[in-house]
Amino acid sequence: MLKANDPCWCGSGRKFKRCHKAATDRVRPGRLSPMRAVPAAIPRPPYAATGEAVRQPEAAVKSPEVIERMRRAGRAAAEVLAETAAAIAPGITTDELDAICHAACIERGGYPSPLNYNGFPKSLCTSVNEVICHGIPDDRELVDGDIVNLDVTIYLDGVHGDTNATFLVGAVDEQSRRLVEVTRESLELGIAAVRPGRPFSDIGRAIQTHAEGAGFGVVRSFVGHGIGEQFHTDLHVPHYYEPRLTTLMEEGMTFTIEPMITVGSYEHDLWDDGWTAVTVDRRRTAQFEHTLVVTAAGAEVLTQL
Ligand code: MF3
Ligand code: CO
Ligand code: CO
């Protein structure tokens, strides 16, 4: 019987657990619980009723009044993320995490922004192991050794706060721990690159330099975004260096930075559910996200406790 740390039988030179055992451990689509209800008294974004987000014009630079509301929504998102993450343990299902997130949003008088956003069926995104982003909570139990990203967005006081983090489930292998650490650092370096008068390409350059320097890949197909009264505005924030991106950051702009970093390929496949994005090689990936506002000095992170 081949042991986890033996060289794989296929001759790849990789340990069996990283190669063909890993192949059998891949995340599979699970069963979804019925859609969760939101009390009628809670104000909801326009797409909540239709399942279709129709993009409206929205200024990239926000007024101090909008920024103040975004501070409250951002803080609430950070609280909901912390409360949901506290329940992470081997054996809990991602649907149970969704229930916690859903209740925590409502408790704060907020609407869980993912729910019915372009038809997304749940209140939280749960992205496990090789899932890059937009994983749908289902009946899969977290198992010892998993990494799981929880992406929380709340609509509160007419604005969205969007934040995510990747967590370790039990005892996680060294490479995955390094991946998670480097991804967290990549977000921090991206935030440190925010400065009025500088091009948006500075952010991706800082992130790509760090992630590739550590031997990891940077996902191109999903980017950070402008945010405010709408979940996603047309402002794009790539996490790789895009020299043609000459748009300048301005004081009062609000957007997310949310690098997705991979152990192997940065290309993705989409599951048949139309949401779940996985790495093409099914190797692991991690993500961290904050919503921030550009200040005179740099950036103020809005999704903080
Ligand atoms: N929160 C994600 C982001 O960071 C978007 C999730 S869209 C959903 O942009 F529909 F999947 F919820
Ligand atoms: Co986002
Ligand atoms: Co998000």
Side-chain angles (χ1 to χ4, degrees), residues 69-88 100-101 104-105 108 110-111 113 124 150-156 159-165 167 187 227 288-292 300-305:
R69 283 191 279 134
M70 289 188 71
R71 276 192 191 99
R72 290 198 288 273
R75 195 175 314 118
E79 289 170 3
V80 172
L81 176 59
E83 188 176 328
T84 309
I88 290 175
I100 295 168
C101 170
C105 288
R108 287 165 177 78
Y111 178 92
S113 308
L124 171 71
L150 304 184
D151 192 341
V152 168
T153 314
I154 188 170
Y155 180 74
L156 186 70
V159 293
H160 298 267
D162 187 7
T163 184
N164 77 48
F167 301 91
L187 172 58
I227 182 169
F288 285 84
E289 173 176 30
H290 275 307
T291 298
L292 55 91
E300 176 189 339
V301 174
L302 299 175
T303 40
Q304 294 203 103
L305 291 176

Side-chain angles (χ1 to χ4, degrees), residues 58-121:
E58 179 171 343
V61 174
K62 310 301 190 214
S63 68
E65 184 270 328
V66 169
I67 293 168
E68 189 48 41
R69 283 191 279 134
M70 289 188 71
R71 276 192 191 99
R72 290 198 288 273
R75 195 175 314 118
E79 289 170 3
V80 172
L81 176 59
E83 188 176 328
T84 309
I88 290 175
I92 194 165
T93 68
T94 51
D95 184 66
E96 289 172 304
L97 295 173
D98 180 74
I100 295 168
C101 170
H102 184 86
C105 288
I106 288 170
E107 231 170 73
R108 287 165 177 78
Y111 178 92
S113 308
L115 190 63
N116 214 23
Y117 182 77
N118 290 329
F120 191 83

Side-chain angles (χ1 to χ4, degrees), residues 162 225 256 258 289:
D162 187 7
H225 50 93
T256 72
E258 47 182 299
E289 173 176 30

